[in-house]
Amino acid sequence: MTHTFDRYKEQYRRNLTLAFPVVLTQVGQILTQVADNLMVGRYGGNDPTPLAAVSFGGSVSFLFFIAAIGIAMGMTPLVGELYVQDKHKQSASLLLNGMLFYVILGIATATVQYLATPLLYCLGQPQEVVVMAVPYYRMMYMSMPFVMLFFAFKQFLEGTGNTHAELMATIVANAANIFLNWVFIFGNMGAPEMGAEGAGFATMLARITASVLIVAYFIGRSRYRIYLTDIFNHKQYSWRSVVKLMRMGIPISAQMFLETSAFVGSGIMMGWLGKEAMSANQIAITLGNCAFMIVISIGAATTIRVSHCFGMRDVEQMKLSVRASYHLVLAWNAIAALFFISLRHVIPTYFTDNAEVIVITSTLLVTVAIYQLSDGLQNVSVGVLRGLQDVKVIMPIAIISYWLLNMPVGYLLAFTFHLGPSGLYIGFFFGLSSAAVLMMTRIHHSIKRMERVVKQRGTTE
């Protein structure tokens, strides 16, 4: 056991060094989400409608959000490979073309969301929930161009191994979001009392703040001036760079969209079970996201480490880094699972006074604990495949796991076998476990193939 730890100790340190700022960024984002739900839940008191409205509007909006930022995530492994090879001009070209492409994509995403607004009334949700959700949803899509500008710089900086910039921008933006929630949800400091819509307005202002801060950081740091020189060269405008970003980003986006659609689809089906189930789902998902923030951070760090090893063609370091990430995520998710199970009756009481919502949430937290381990493994596996630039396979895996297994199994258990909300969550276990097994199998074959290629080149040389 000691020998194993000594072997991986340096890998744990490197992965956690990259992951730690991302963890803090995720903590800030999750705390903001928790604050949104706490403040909206308290605003509603015993009435679950405001919290259900934020849950529904946020879920539908998040589906578009995740599809757009998934495309932006294709920049990180491409920049990571170029960064270790000191190819600054090619990196600058990716940033310039990515920045323009992503902002245009943000405008297009907002337009599609605007046109899709009438569909919110056709998803079988309680009428009063939809009426309250629409203004919140509107604020979410209006902020998308700023979200995409933020992610253009965030993903570029991650490719260079810098995960601190996003942390600083997010801390300030999230602090502003919580304060603005207090102002606009409850109508403090002379502002109108906007309720759920106020939470959306605060989020929009916070997203604008984050984008301004990260751009200012990039411009102000001397180490990035070498990229700035090339960015403002009109010759860097290249459709080829956009195509490269799309080839990498679209499969990532599709995987994230399909996975998220399973959660959003289950959230919509929760609405068929009543407002109480919707509110309980929002609380459980928020708490699940609190644990998942560590997983996302380890996954992001893994992408960076693997992309750098891929650029240097260092297979041995890559294998150690990947295994270390699996060790870290399994240890964390085991702790999170124990926390959810042991405190399942206590945590929901901080979000709502509604007794039925509390009971449903406590049951859902057990199933959240069950799928934690599978969720961790599949997320880190996605991070590895991104770093390897082996992303085409993740879309068919996601289709099988989330659309052919997760949602059908959840529907059958919830409505045919009458397990209700818990049945929908058990479906997540089947989907996430399938994704983890299939992706880990693909990683094994991809690294073996890379090993053979590197050996052949060494023999030739």
Side-chain angles (χ1 to χ4, degrees), residues 98-243:
M99 181 172 54
L100 295 172
F101 171 53
Y102 297 152
V103 171
I104 292 170
L105 179 62
I107 295 170
T109 303
T111 303
V112 171
Q113 286 183 262
Y114 166 73
L115 296 173
T117 303
L119 295 178
L120 271 65
Y121 293 90
C122 305
L123 295 174
Q125 307 303 298
Q127 183 71 16
E128 64 273 23
V129 170
V130 179
V131 169
M132 194 176 290
V134 168
Y136 178 86
Y137 171 81
R138 184 183 302 119
M139 297 295 176
M140 294 296 100
Y141 70 66
M142 287 173 64
S143 66
M144 280 306 300
F146 299 97
V147 168
M148 296 309 293
L149 179 62
F150 174 82
F151 270 87
F153 284 90
K154 172 184 176 294
Q155 300 310 131
F156 179 87
L157 290 167
E158 283 190 4
T160 67
N162 183 343
T163 54
H164 291 83
E166 61 193 81
L167 169 62
M168 291 186 282
T170 303
I171 286 174
V172 176
N174 288 340
N177 189 26
I178 293 172
F179 171 72
L180 292 170
N181 272 342
W182 176 76
V183 172
F184 293 110
I185 292 174
F186 299 98
N188 289 307
M189 299 183 69
E193 184 180 324
M194 299 171 69
E197 183 180 6
F201 186 55
T203 299
M204 181 180 71
L205 294 177
R207 288 176 171 180
I208 294 171
T209 302
S211 65
V212 171
L213 289 172
I214 201 164
V215 172
Y217 173 92
F218 184 86
I219 294 173
R221 301 289 287 188
S222 59
R223 64 177 288 197
Y224 299 114
R225 283 175 191 157
I226 189 170
Y227 299 108
L228 283 172
T229 302
D230 292 313
I231 279 178
F232 294 110
N233 182 350
H234 70 278
K235 294 179 181 179
Q236 291 285 7
Y237 291 107
S238 166
W239 177 246
R240 182 179 297 177
S241 294
V242 174
V243 170

Side-chain angles (χ1 to χ4, degrees), residues 319-367:
K319 289 195 292 188
L320 289 172
S321 174
V322 170
R323 290 172 191 154
S325 291
Y326 283 131
H327 297 166
L328 291 169
V329 81
L330 286 173
W332 166 252
N333 279 344
I335 293 170
L338 289 172
F339 177 81
F340 288 142
I341 291 172
S342 60
L343 296 177
R344 65 188 184 277
H345 297 300
V346 177
I347 299 172
T349 60
Y350 290 100
F351 289 83
T352 182
D353 298 324
N354 188 291
E356 187 176 352
V357 173
I358 292 171
V359 170
I360 296 171
T361 305
S362 63
T363 304
L364 291 180
L365 286 176
V366 176
T367 47

Side-chain angles (χ1 to χ4, degrees), residues 283-298:
I283 296 169
I285 288 293
T286 299
L287 293 168
N289 288 341
C290 289
F292 195 59
M293 66 188 178
I294 305 294
V295 176
I296 291 175
S297 306
I298 295 172

Side-chain angles (χ1 to χ4, degrees), residues 27-42:
V27 168
Q29 292 175 342
I30 293 302
L31 285 176
T32 303
Q33 186 181 6
V34 171
D36 279 355
N37 291 324
L38 281 170
M39 296 169 92
V40 172
R42 288 298 172 189

Side-chain angles (χ1 to χ4, degrees), residues 362-394:
S362 63
T363 304
L364 291 180
L365 286 176
V366 176
T367 47
V368 169
I370 291 171
Y371 71 66
Q372 284 291 304
L373 295 177
S374 298
D375 204 6
L377 290 173
Q378 70 85 26
N379 187 270
V380 168
S381 297
V382 170
V384 175
L385 291 171
R386 290 175 188 167
L388 288 168
Q389 300 183 23
D390 183 17
V391 294
K392 290 182 180 178
V393 71
I394 62 179

